[in-house]
Amino acid sequence: MGSSETPTTSETPAGARQHAQHGSQARRAAHRGGWQEQDIGGPPDDGGDDDSYGVVDRPSGGNVQRARLIGALSLVLVAVLTTVFSVSWLWSNAQAVSPVDVPAGNAGDVKTITPSLSPSPTPTPEGRVIGGMFYNATMDTMPMMSSAWSSQEDRTGSAGGRGSYLSVHKEYDGKEDWVNYVSFGSLSKSIAFTNTPAGLKDATIKAATTALIRLYDPNVKLIGKATHRPLTVDGHAGHELTIKVDVRKPKLPETYSTVMVAVIDRGDGTAVVSVADIAGSTPQWLPVWRTNVSKIQFSK
């Protein structure tokens, strides 16, 4: 894997209806009370007798106006007195009512209802590839190797990461491709580290061990010794490890792959990690990976 194998009629609101009903009642009450919205001089004289207006001596001119004004003020005074009396009666009687005790409940009276659907577990964070850039779950970025590389899930054990691959030998054994593989993500929380040269080196060795087991198997064969060098990326301290892996297989025109791992401290107690697994026949991709690691940017 890595340089490894991969399978191919709106309605009228209730409030508005209620408001309209109240308006009609008010107009009918006004009509019964005798204060229609008319000219102040009263209804026109149609020749009928005075009894049709409910008066015996029909006043004229200013007397009519004064009589109607006095009548209207009388109605308003009666309405105000009635409202004051009603409100006073309401509050006096409300205060006279004895409070009612609320029955005490027992905890055992209410049974717990089991939801029909259990809450879904929080999904594992994953990285993405957007516009030729790796994005991990914390939105740190690293350039992809090139547009010829395809996006793939992370296979190296990082947290919230993403991977990419490039086929080097298509169906070398009649079934599977041998590929180069690069990933970028956050350092697994299971790997503790300190922001010291020794702490970063130790974290890189652990990240490399996890990646080798996942890309190959626990019995992976290594060639020679690993090389180490310190890194500084965007002002953040880091460490790089390089090791060769024996990949001799029947029908595979390769003898080794180079695995490179870089861990860079984010400065908040976490770190990012990138892994490259490059076939021995394509060493031109090694400096590309190193250059892209140097372009890692950290979200704020």
Side-chain angles (χ1 to χ4, degrees):
M1 309 228 193
S3 300
S4 52
E5 300 161 353
T6 182
T8 47
T9 136
S10 67
E11 297 181 356
T12 303
R17 292 198 300 269
Q18 184 179 8
H19 177 75
Q21 292 168 358
H22 288 173
S24 300
Q25 293 169 358
R27 285 193 293 274
R28 288 197 296 270
H31 179 72
R32 289 196 299 270
W35 46 269
Q36 301 101 321
E37 293 182 357
Q38 299 175 348
D39 292 338
I40 196 68
D45 186 0
D46 59 358
D49 57 16
D50 289 338
D51 291 341
S52 63
Y53 295 98
V55 295
V56 176
D57 295 325
R58 183 179 179 186
S60 61
N63 291 334
V64 172
Q65 180 179 356
R66 188 162 42 254
R68 291 185 178 277
L69 181 60
I70 292 172
L73 291 174
S74 298
L75 288 173
V76 171
L77 179 60
V78 170
V80 170
L81 292 175
T82 301
T83 301
V84 171
F85 174 78
S86 299
V87 172
S88 176
W89 183 90
L90 176 65
W91 282 106
S92 297
N93 283 272
Q95 293 171 357
V97 175
S98 300
V100 178
D101 293 333
V102 178
N106 296 322
D109 293 343
V110 180
K111 296 181 179 180
T112 301
I113 300 175
T114 303
S116 58
L117 294 176
S118 301
S120 300
T122 303
T124 302
E126 293 184 358
R128 296 175 293 170
V129 171
I130 304 175
M133 301 288 287
F134 288 111
Y135 284 80
N136 66 2
T138 55
M139 300 305 289
D140 306 313
T141 62
M142 172 181 160
M144 284 188 68
M145 300 292 279
S146 82
S147 60
W149 291 58
S150 301
S151 176
Q152 193 181 62
E153 73 278 1
D154 173 68
R155 297 161 55 192
T156 62
S158 69
R162 192 67 184 171
S164 65
Y165 72 94
L166 176 71
S167 293
V168 179
H169 304 291
K170 290 185 175 295
E171 299 181 354
Y172 73 94
D173 61 354
K175 296 182 297 182
E176 298 175 322
D177 293 350
W178 190 260
V179 303
N180 288 341
Y181 182 83
V182 168
S183 69
F184 174 70
S186 298
L187 186 67
S188 172
K189 293 181 179 180
S190 64
I191 300 176
F193 81 100
T194 57
N195 187 16
T196 64
L200 287 167
K201 180 179 179 180
D202 181 65
T204 306
I205 292 172
K206 291 177 180 177
T209 301
T210 300
L212 287 166
I213 291 174
R214 286 174 173 263
L215 292 173
Y216 296 93
D217 60 63
N219 299 317
V220 59
K221 295 181 180 180
L222 304 179
I223 301 173
K225 294 183 179 180
T227 59
H228 297 266
R229 71 184 187 102
L231 296 175
T232 301
V233 177
D234 194 23
H236 295 251
H239 189 87
E240 178 193 285
L241 177 155
T242 304
I243 187 72
K244 289 183 178 180
V245 180
D246 187 336
V247 296
R248 282 174 290 189
K249 286 175 170 285
K251 302 181 181 181
L252 177 64
E254 297 285 348
T255 57
Y256 73 94
S257 288
T258 302
V259 173
M260 307 176 75
V261 181
V263 171
I264 302 101
D265 177 32
R266 295 187 79 250
D268 62 354
T270 65
V272 298
V273 57
S274 180
V275 176
D277 184 12
I278 307 298
S281 63
T282 60
Q284 66 271 22
W285 289 112
L286 297 177
V288 175
W289 177 81
R290 274 188 168 146
T291 299
N292 290 354
V293 166
S294 71
K295 295 180 180 179
I296 289 173
Q297 293 186 348
F298 302 91
S299 63
K300 306 301 181 185

